[in-house]
Amino acid sequence: MSLAELLRERPVVQAPMAGGSSTPALAAAVDRAGGIGHLAAGYLSPDAVRDQIRRVREAGAEAFGVNVFVPGPSSDPATVRAHRLRLGSESGRQGAAVGEPVHDDDAWEAKIDLLVEAAVPVAGFTFDCPDAAVLARLRAVGTATVVTVTTAEEARTAVERGADGVCAQGLEAGGHRASFDPVRGGDRPLLDLVADVVAAVDVPVIAAGGLMTGEGIARVLGAGAAAAQLGTAFLRCPESGANPAHKAALADPAFDRTAVTWAFTGRPARGLVNRFITEHPERPYAYPDVHHMTKPLRAAAARAGDTGGMALWAGQGFRLASGDPAGEVVARLRREAAGAGVRI
């Protein structure tokens, strides 16, 4: 089945959320409800990704994707050193040492080999577009490829290299911005971006960014998108692996807005505004070095239930996230879209 046919049958896509929120149980539940679930390979070892693929297949999932982070350029040592010093106050607060800055490729080649071996239905890519040869290897085993983009130019690059589809990520999206170059990447509202990307490429476009309702899905489909991708809408589901404190914060009136921060990982990402984001307005472009430096600090905060020091990734519509099972979330989205005159 082509990507266009798959999205026509299943226009609701659960976003890949690295760091533990995406689970085989969540992907399988969305699949059973008639959507497309996603596993997030970012930060996992190849063996852990293999195990998750096995588990989602054992759960009977037919339509699911696996998302991989594309390695980026080397970080500036001076930027890394400066941010390491700034993290000293957080280290004292959490009682944990700042992690060592590591510039790894997240086992890129091993994960590509694994995806080819597993012949997963969909392979997605974030932070850049792989070389044409990588996309061709996946296509040869029947895997559809999707590259997340934030500009029409990025979308054209992805299609030129052979991507079967693109995911247009608006500025409303929670978690990491997918810009190929985060310093000069796109920062467009979703509906504007979808219009630009649909006009620029002739492959299916998946819309992502702050979508929480069936009415929102109806709007992006009306703008020309082939499907809608939602992440925050599934974060509080029982199948989600998000930390309980993170789930609770999404419904806590004390958290009333989101902002984009670079200070947790060295790349821009949207999350609930908390103490850490407020105290660290700096913009260190040093990914994944900064991610590794803050990892033990974030882990200590999570163990203590200190939401002020956690990365509480969330899209702009976070307050509409419910604790319902994922299947019920998909069913609600269908009802709402039908009320807006669109069948999904």
Side-chain angles (χ1 to χ4, degrees), residues 177-322:
R177 303 290 299 146
S179 306
F180 294 3
D181 179 350
V183 176
R184 292 183 290 275
D187 203 21
R188 302 287 306 284
L190 179 58
L191 284 173
D192 292 346
L193 178 62
V194 167
D196 288 350
V197 173
V198 167
V201 297
D202 59 356
V203 298
V205 176
I206 302 169
L211 296 173
M212 301 293 292
T213 67
E215 292 88 350
I217 293 174
R219 283 193 291 272
V220 295
L221 296 183
Q229 180 168 288
L230 303 85
T232 306
F234 293 102
L235 264 181
R236 292 185 61 210
C237 294
E239 300 92 343
S240 161
N243 183 286
H246 187 172
K247 291 184 179 185
L250 294 168
D252 186 342
F255 295 97
D256 59 3
R257 61 193 175 95
T258 64
V260 173
T261 178
W262 294 62
F264 275 120
T265 68
R267 260 186 168 270
R270 183 177 296 280
L272 300 179
V273 174
N274 62 359
R275 175 187 53 76
F276 187 95
I277 288 179
T278 301
E279 292 179 356
H280 292 279
E282 54 270 8
R283 293 161 57 95
Y285 181 19
Y287 180 88
D289 309 64
V290 172
H291 158 75
H292 289 294
M293 287 195 295
T294 67
K295 184 176 179 179
L297 307 179
R298 290 179 279 124
R303 286 193 299 271
D306 175 14
T307 52
M310 296 169 61
L312 305 173
W313 303 139
Q316 287 185 353
F318 69 93
R319 192 61 83 215
L320 296 176
S322 78

